[in-house]
Amino acid sequence: MIPAAFEYARASSVDEASKLLSKFGEDAKVLAGGHSLIPLMRLRLAQPSALVDINGIKELDHIKEDGHKLRIGALTPHVTIQNSSVVKDKLPLLAEVAGEVGDNQVRNMGTMGGVIAHADAAGDYPTLALILDAEIVTNRRTIPAKDFFKDLFTTALGPDEVVTEVVFPVANGPHKYIKFRRRLFDWAIVGVAAQKMNGGWRIGLTNVGPTPVRANAVEKALHDGAKPEEAAEHASDGLDPAGDLRASPEYKKHLARVLTKRAIQQAQGQ
Amino acid sequence: MAVSQLVGAKIHRREDPRLITGHGHYIDDFTRQGAAHAAFVRSPFAHARIKSIDVTDASKAPGVAGVYTARDFKGQLAGTHPAAPAFVADKKYIPERFPIAEKEACYQGEIVAAVLAETKGQAADAANLIQVVYEELPAVMDLEKAMASGSPKVHEGAADNISWDMTYTGPDVSEAAFKEADVVVKERILQNRLAPVPMEPRGVLAEFETYDKKLTIWMSSQNPHFIRLFVSGAMGLKESQVRVISPDVGGGFGSKISPYPEDYLVPALSRLAERPVKWIETRTESLQNATHGRGQFYDVEVAAKKDGTLLGMRMTQFLDVGAYVGTFSAFQACACLMAGGAYKWKGISARTIGILTNRVPTDPYRGAGRPEATHLVERMVDLVARELKIDPVEIRKKNFIQPQEFPYTQNFGLVVDSGEYARALDVALKLAGYDDLRKRQADLRKQGRYLGIGLSTWIELCGFGPSAATAPATGGIALVESAQVRVTPTGSVIVYTGTHSHGQGHETTFPQIVADQLGVPYESVELRHGDTAEGTAFGYGTYGSRSLAVGGVAISKAVGKVIDKGKKLAAHMLEAAEEDVVYEHGAFHVKGSPDKSKAFGEVAFASYGMNLPEGMEQGLEAVAYFDPPNLVWPFGTHIAVVEVDAETGSAKLEKYIAVDDCGNIINPMIVDGQIHGGIVQGVAQALYEEVVYDDETGQLKTGTLLDYMLPSANEIPPLSLDHTITPSPTNDLGVKGIGEAGTIAASAAVINAVCDALSPLGIKHVDMPASPDRLWKMMKEARQ
């Protein structure tokens, strides 16, 4: 539970952070809230050669309304998103999900950019980003969410690339996120997001594969007029989730179906 | 005795302001000048031969003061890990255990090397540089397979994997009962392995003073005196040369009773390196190495008459001992002796088998044997009720030991001191609104929803214990308790006790007793504990809900002796006959002449002066030992209400009612706190927690709190508590233990509720933890 030795540098701008990452090389990691990275380091499952601390870059902590978009700064903590009246008004699904991340301590420290860049299969924001066609903005470019999450803990980010913003569309129609877990502060065993926008349903699944999954077959069935309980039967189409201590692959597929049905029904009931 | 004001009062815990503001003193808060930090290299394999250990790189690493392997400790430590007889006097096989492995590692986490360095980071880094070549051996993980004659052995070269196999009562004892039976129900009941997870992991700081040959150990322990006994013996020191200080202890739940390898190695390292050495357990080390609890299964059969009369039981306990026999491992066999619960039986046949596996040893964990017994009997009674279509309340009432039958000698010869089981059950039923709950259950079932109501009418034996029973069980030392009460010249009172709080609030409750009995202000009474250099010669620690029922009574006896001496002195001061002096409201006065009076403080001051009665020595203090004539027997009824989600299998605890009877209550707030914590640990076993090892490789899969499902406050509904009071006839205070009660009761209540919820599907029994995936699978199979 004692991390291996590492270099540490605090960046005061995104440029500086990028330069520091180049300087330290491939093994360097960005430190934002640290609520995923530091536990991994304490277990020595992650042994970065250096940490580039971006907590001093205050301009990355923001929520901006930009026409039909919401721009969430990478350093914005979950608690700010959870309580933001703008987010509650323009993308209530995101505020609700932020309120279900970890516990109070995690929500005070953990950040939007950290969750996106860490790309844990059980992370909640990546699912939302994927189904809402969000964009991940870095110091170099803008990456569509569908091209961002490559594999377990693997993203399209280059070694000296820093996430600066995540841009979500405005969507305040019917929505629901169901995060199924045994303890309130746990990661999702399976999560399901449902959002009605532009006349159609967007359905996403968390922790049923190495990256978030968009339930295209469910969306199509709903589009074709299926009832929620019928459409939800397609939620496990093509899934091959890994089993773990909490759930077997069969159980995760079952949960994907049940929770999809419930998410749609509950969203409709709003 | 003064009019009671403090006993029974809800006084805030005296220790809380310091503990909740971060001003407590835990082991990691202590340091010594020049201390080196220890890190241990542990076997990554459940079972492996150690071929070679190369310490070259580690020795050269920055800040390293020394690297040590088993050989270095050979001249430092002698003997093997102590294994008390407990409830199995004759064990077949107790593997030799040296605190550090030399040739063979037998569980994942067993220590194979140690490093000392200037900082704990350097020690951890250097530990990673030690190259150990292992040859992996087959890991013995399954209890039934381990018993087979052809099984690989937990220890190479051993004859078998059986540590003990003891029949308390043979099949003949229950034969007549089974012959009479209309029905026999049979079940295998699993007890999931649990990790104790105290908030403060273990830690040892040791300083051996080379010139004085004195050893001081600061460590997080439930019984510092026993540690002094064990460690001094192993190190070849006199007990008088060793001082063990156990300051604030952040929880133990039984896991800080027995000595651990580090408890020997850290002091030995201090002697080897001639400097203080500190080691603080990490959370992962704690989950991996702190003794686990439960880890058993039971094969049980119960015979009953058609009308619900219980007749007989046959049960065998299969207990996963782990790789070595824990010091009090065989205590857990008391599950056999308690298997009859609150009921009358014609005959019980009981056998315990302790089986070695390549896992960390098991040892007492909150309740130790009694939660298992309660779970077993409460499950079986429900199964009989179900079979006979009798309400679970009715079958219990029909078979309870009745109030007029106490003291009641149960099937194993233990004498249950007192009880009024149906009263506690009735209070609980009323509090729960039992009839309404059953109506609600019926309504919900019509909607396809599964609501269950589970009862646990638990009993417990605790307050260890009488010398006649406990001296043979420990190997000679009776688990009595001692206390010293010392009055200073200005009348303040210092109380020394040999029990040791690890969260129970002794600093509050014990002064409540003393202040009442002496009639002095509560604030003038100070409790001292946890330091072998203070107080009486030996203390016996805190476990088995014994602190109040044994230690508290010893304190009360010592106070009595102080009052007796005070009377003699007051009589002399008042020029009255001793038998005419009475002590009331903090003053000694002559019977019938309240104006002829000396306050307690005046007498205390005078006791240090010159005008004493002929032959009286100065000072006002006394030592008392209390050897309880019997154990004490708390009881109660817990009711759990659980809804199982018909689609996901998620079991939600909706409501929890607990009516407990621990005799007279010193501080109701502390009793409720104990019940709260206990219930949560029982609920945790029923629904959440399980130590999981890989079945083949023996790798621990639950090595962090992300994987080990310790629930949080979020998962627990408000708990509705009430009490009945049936004073214990066993001691003058009329008290019984309460520290373990919640845990003893809760798992059965919750699982009975889960089984009741799923009864429309024909599901009769559910193993723990009743996790959503397990219940979903069972429901799915039941529906097919």
Side-chain angles (χ1 to χ4, degrees):
Chain A
M1 304 294 267
I2 299 163
F6 54 88
E7 298 279 329
Y8 171 86
R10 196 170 166 90
S12 53
S13 70
V14 176
D15 262 3
E16 192 189 355
S18 177
K19 282 186 189 125
L20 285 165
L21 286 169
S22 302
K23 185 186 123 193
F24 288 127
E26 259 189 46
D27 290 341
K29 281 273 184 194
V30 171
L31 176 70
H35 270 55
S36 294
L37 180 58
I38 288 173
L40 290 173
M41 289 173 65
R42 286 170 64 92
L43 294 165
R44 298 200 176 200
L45 293 172
Q47 300 198 18
S49 58
L51 290 186
V52 175
D53 184 344
I54 62 168
N55 283 290
I57 313 176
K58 292 295 168 217
E59 62 269 27
L60 293 186
D61 178 358
H62 65 252
I63 294 171
K64 290 179 197 156
E65 207 182 333
D66 178 10
H68 280 285
K69 290 177 175 176
L70 267 187
R71 310 185 77 92
I72 314 283
L75 267 186
T76 312
H78 308 309
V79 67
T80 308
I81 300 170
Q82 174 188 357
N83 295 329
S84 158
S85 53
V86 175
V87 180
K88 282 186 197 169
D89 187 34
K90 302 295 177 186
L91 187 55
L93 178 63
L94 179 62
E96 286 168 24
V97 169
E100 298 213 20
V101 175
D103 51 24
N104 281 329
Q105 288 91 330
V106 171
R107 288 196 291 275
N108 284 330
M109 291 294 288
T111 65
M112 167 61 76
V115 172
I116 293 287
H118 185 59
D120 192 307
D124 304 302
Y125 295 149
T127 306
L128 263 52
L130 177 72
I131 65 165
L132 298 173
D133 291 320
E135 293 171 326
I136 289 96
V137 183
T138 76
N139 54 329
R140 304 236 133 94
R141 56 187 168 144
T142 297
I143 311 167
K146 67 177 168 51
D147 300 328
F148 185 82
F149 302 103
K150 297 291 190 190
D151 204 343
L152 198 62
F153 300 116
T154 310
T155 65
L157 288 174
D160 57 352
E161 204 167 2
V162 179
V163 175
T164 56
E165 256 186 347
V166 182
V167 184
F168 288 93
V170 166
N172 48 12
H175 61 274
K176 183 71 195 176
Y177 188 70
I178 299 182
K179 185 173 180 174
F180 187 84
R181 70 270 208 212
R182 289 173 67 186
R183 301 175 293 188
L184 196 66
F185 57 85
D186 273 329
W187 296 89
I189 295 173
V190 171
V192 175
Q195 174 75 56
K196 191 135 192 206
M197 64 187 284
N198 307 329
W201 283 98
R202 306 283 181 98
I203 309 291
L205 306 171
T206 303
N207 205 31
V208 291
T211 59
V213 169
R214 185 157 173 182
N216 293 309
V218 179
E219 292 180 10
K220 184 174 177 304
L222 288 167
H223 179 80
D224 294 343
K227 289 181 185 154
E229 58 272 29
E230 296 160 359
E233 284 303 303
H234 295 287
S236 55
D237 288 3
L239 294 185
D240 184 20
D244 54 36
L245 282 177
R246 294 175 174 80
S248 64
E250 295 71 35
Y251 184 52
K252 281 191 183 178
K253 289 202 271 187
H254 169 76
L255 285 176
R257 294 188 294 267
V258 170
L259 303 179
T260 298
K261 175 188 76 180
R262 291 184 181 180
I264 301 164
Q265 285 173 339
Q266 288 173 31
Q268 281 178 334
Q270 281 166 351
Chain B
M1 194 185 283
V3 173
S4 182
Q5 293 174 330
L6 291 159
V7 166
K10 282 187 183 180
I11 294 175
H12 282 264
R13 286 175 18 127
R14 195 183 259 191
E15 42 275 83
D16 279 348
R18 92 168 173 269
L19 297 179
I20 62 177
T21 58
H23 291 82
H25 293 92
Y26 300 99
I27 296 304
D28 207 10
D29 297 318
F30 289 82
T31 190
R32 301 299 288 174
Q33 187 77 30
H37 293 265
F40 294 102
V41 178
R42 298 172 185 278
S43 170
F45 299 109
H47 195 193
R49 213 170 276 147
I50 300 162
K51 305 291 279 184
S52 64
I53 302 178
D54 183 352
V55 302
T56 320
D57 292 347
S59 304
K60 290 185 216 151
V64 168
V67 183
Y68 305 85
T69 61
R71 219 167 306 152
D72 300 303
F73 293 97
K74 281 289 158 72
Q76 292 289 323
L77 297 167
T80 183
H81 187 80
F87 290 107
V88 183
D90 294 315
K91 296 188 186 64
K92 291 177 59 189
Y93 173 39
I94 300 173
E96 283 285 310
R97 184 183 191 186
F98 196 64
I100 177 167
E102 187 182 15
K103 293 176 179 147
E104 187 185 5
C106 295
Y107 64 92
Q108 191 191 47
E110 186 163 10
I111 295 172
V112 298
V115 180
L116 290 187
E118 300 305 324
T119 69
K120 60 181 176 181
Q122 288 170 331
D125 286 345
N128 279 346
L129 296 174
I130 295 177
Q131 308 290 327
V132 186
V133 179
Y134 295 96
E135 181 189 338
E136 213 179 336
L137 296 167
V140 177
M141 304 305 289
D142 182 89
L143 292 184
E144 284 180 287
K145 286 184 193 158
M147 285 189 288
S149 58
S151 167
K153 305 297 181 282
V154 171
H155 295 268
E156 276 202 298
D160 58 28
N161 299 314
I162 308 294
S163 179
W164 70 74
D165 183 350
M166 179 171 165
T167 298
Y168 291 107
T169 42
D172 53 305
V173 173
S174 61
E175 203 182 328
F178 274 80
K179 268 191 188 146
E180 240 185 279
D182 297 317
V183 289
V184 172
V185 294
K186 203 171 165 177
E187 193 52 71
R188 172 167 287 192
I189 295 178
L190 265 56
Q191 282 285 337
N192 34 334
R193 212 177 225 261
L194 303 175
V197 202
M199 203 180 290
E200 183 198 16
R202 293 183 302 119
V204 184
L205 169 63
E207 180 171 30
F208 183 78
E209 291 169 77
T210 308
Y211 296 98
D212 294 339
K213 299 209 176 346
K214 278 199 295 202
L215 172 66
T216 307
I217 304 171
W218 292 261
M219 66 179 284
S220 191
S221 173
Q222 292 175 230
N223 59 348
H225 285 86
F226 270 99
I227 296 294
R228 182 182 70 179
L229 180 76
F230 293 134
V231 173
S232 63
M235 289 186 69
L237 298 169
K238 307 272 183 274
E239 268 184 276
S240 53
Q241 290 171 293
V242 179
R243 178 181 183 186
V244 178
I245 300 169
S246 187
D248 286 327
V249 176
F253 312 115
S255 72
K256 293 175 181 171
I257 302 173
S258 299
Y260 282 86
E262 298 87 352
D263 303 347
Y264 299 103
L265 295 175
V266 174
L269 283 166
S270 174
R271 186 161 66 179
L272 277 167
E274 300 193 359
R275 62 192 284 194
V277 174
K278 182 174 178 177
W279 168 77
I280 300 294
E281 186 178 58
T282 67
R283 180 59 65 193
T284 292
E285 281 181 308
S286 173
L287 287 163
Q288 187 185 50
N289 297 288
T291 52
H292 292 158
R294 319 291 188 258
Q296 304 158 31
F297 73 86
Y298 293 81
D299 281 340
V300 199
E301 283 178 89
V302 165
K305 281 196 210 163
K306 260 194 299 225
D307 67 357
T309 305
L310 298 170
L311 295 168
M313 183 192 286
R314 297 186 186 126
M315 56 89 73
T316 304
Q317 174 187 41
F318 299 85
L319 189 148
D320 179 355
V321 168
Y324 298 96
V325 181
T327 304
F328 296 104
S329 181
F331 182 91
Q332 302 170 95
C334 76
C336 298
L337 310 179
M338 291 298 289
Y343 315 104
K344 290 184 279 190
W345 303 83
K346 288 197 167 169
I348 300 178
S349 304
R351 176 182 175 193
T352 173
I353 308 175
I355 303 148
L356 293 153
T357 65
N358 291 112
R359 294 188 181 89
V360 83
T362 54
D363 221 25
Y365 168 64
R366 201 171 192 171
R370 290 152 291 161
E372 294 94 314
T374 304
H375 196 81
L376 178 151
V377 70
E378 292 301 298
R379 275 279 50 235
M380 294 310 290
V381 166
D382 262 26
L383 285 170
V384 173
R386 177 106 160 245
E387 180 76 25
L388 296 171
K389 299 188 171 56
I390 300 176
D391 188 277
V393 171
E394 195 188 317
I395 193 167
R396 284 172 166 81
K397 285 192 171 171
K398 189 176 187 69
N399 291 283
F400 277 152
I401 302 163
Q402 297 301 310
Q404 68 277 11
E405 292 173 301
F406 293 99
Y408 180 84
T409 304
Q410 49 95 289
N411 298 68
F412 296 91
L414 296 164
V415 179
V416 186
D417 69 351
S418 57
E420 203 172 336
Y421 303 150
R423 182 157 69 115
L425 173 56
D426 285 335
V427 175
L429 291 172
K430 198 165 168 221
L431 196 56
Y434 185 72
D435 295 336
D436 289 343
L437 280 172
R438 287 285 176 210
K439 277 187 206 121
R440 197 168 141 239
Q441 177 182 47
D443 289 345
L444 288 175
R445 278 184 184 168
K446 284 178 203 150
Q447 303 168 32
R449 287 172 63 181
Y450 302 141
L451 185 82
I453 302 142
L455 298 176
S456 173
T457 45
W458 65 278
I459 72 163
E460 173 191 0
L461 91 168
C462 63
F464 297 89
S467 57
T470 57
T474 67
I477 289 186
L479 300 180
V480 300
E481 197 48 80
S482 59
Q484 180 170 16
V485 172
R486 176 175 284 173
V487 185
T488 65
T490 51
S492 65
V493 184
I494 307 165
V495 179
Y496 300 91
T497 174
T499 66
H500 185 32
S501 177
H502 49 289
Q504 291 87 345
H506 294 177
E507 286 171 48
T508 304
T509 44
F510 289 161
Q512 280 182 263
I513 297 170
V514 173
D516 257 7
Q517 212 171 330
L518 282 179
V520 300
Y522 168 70
E523 293 73 22
S524 71
V525 184
E526 184 70 24
L527 183 79
R528 309 278 305 174
H529 54 173
D531 185 343
T532 61
E534 289 186 337
T536 56
F538 203 82
Y540 304 81
T542 288
Y543 41 80
S545 303
R546 67 184 300 279
S547 292
L548 175 60
V550 190
V553 180
I555 291 171
S556 174
K557 279 185 68 177
V559 171
K561 289 185 180 182
V562 163
I563 292 173
D564 287 346
K565 181 170 181 182
K567 270 187 192 166
K568 283 195 181 76
L569 180 51
H572 178 71
M573 293 163 79
L574 294 165
E575 295 176 345
E578 189 190 332
E579 54 273 22
D580 291 339
V581 174
V582 288
Y583 187 60
E584 272 177 348
H585 307 302
F588 298 91
H589 66 88
V590 178
K591 227 181 280 176
S593 315
D595 53 320
K596 283 190 82 181
S597 169
K598 290 283 174 195
F600 179 75
E602 289 178 88
V603 174
F605 191 76
S607 78
Y608 287 91
M610 59 180 193
N611 186 21
L612 301 181
E614 182 78 30
M616 180 180 278
E617 294 171 5
Q618 268 79 5
L620 189 55
E621 58 184 318
V623 171
Y625 280 73
F626 178 56
D627 181 358
N630 188 3
L631 295 155
V632 288
W633 297 78
F635 61 90
T637 294
H638 287 208
I639 300 178
V641 182
V642 173
E643 183 171 0
V644 179
D645 186 315
E647 289 182 308
T648 66
S650 181
K652 187 176 161 32
L653 183 60
E654 265 196 7
K655 205 170 169 180
Y656 198 98
I657 293 93
V659 175
D660 296 294
D661 192 321
C662 59
N664 290 332
I665 291 174
I666 308 298
N667 187 323
M669 209 181 326
I670 287 180
V671 168
D672 285 356
Q674 287 277 22
I675 300 274
H676 281 153
I679 289 170
V680 173
Q681 274 178 310
V683 170
Q685 176 175 18
L687 297 179
Y688 296 97
E689 295 182 26
E690 183 175 29
V691 174
V692 182
Y693 286 89
D694 186 277
D695 292 339
E696 297 299 319
T697 65
Q699 293 287 311
L700 181 68
K701 291 178 168 180
T702 47
T704 71
L705 291 179
L706 203 59
D707 301 310
Y708 187 75
M709 282 280 136
L710 192 76
S712 70
N714 296 308
E715 282 68 57
I716 308 298
L719 308 170
S720 313
L721 307 189
D722 203 349
H723 302 277
T724 59
I725 293 176
T726 309
S728 169
T730 305
N731 58 64
D732 290 343
L733 296 177
V735 295
K736 302 178 178 183
I738 198 66
E740 298 163 291
T743 309
I744 288 167
S747 72
V750 174
I751 294 297
N752 280 344
V754 170
C755 295
D756 184 47
L758 298 179
S759 61
L761 291 168
I763 292 170
K764 288 185 175 161
H765 180 68
V766 171
D767 287 326
M768 300 185 285
S771 59
D773 52 346
R774 169 173 276 153
L775 295 184
W776 169 71
K777 198 160 171 266
M778 288 184 78
M779 292 194 298
K780 194 176 144 201
E781 282 162 8
R783 283 168 181 147
Q784 274 165 4

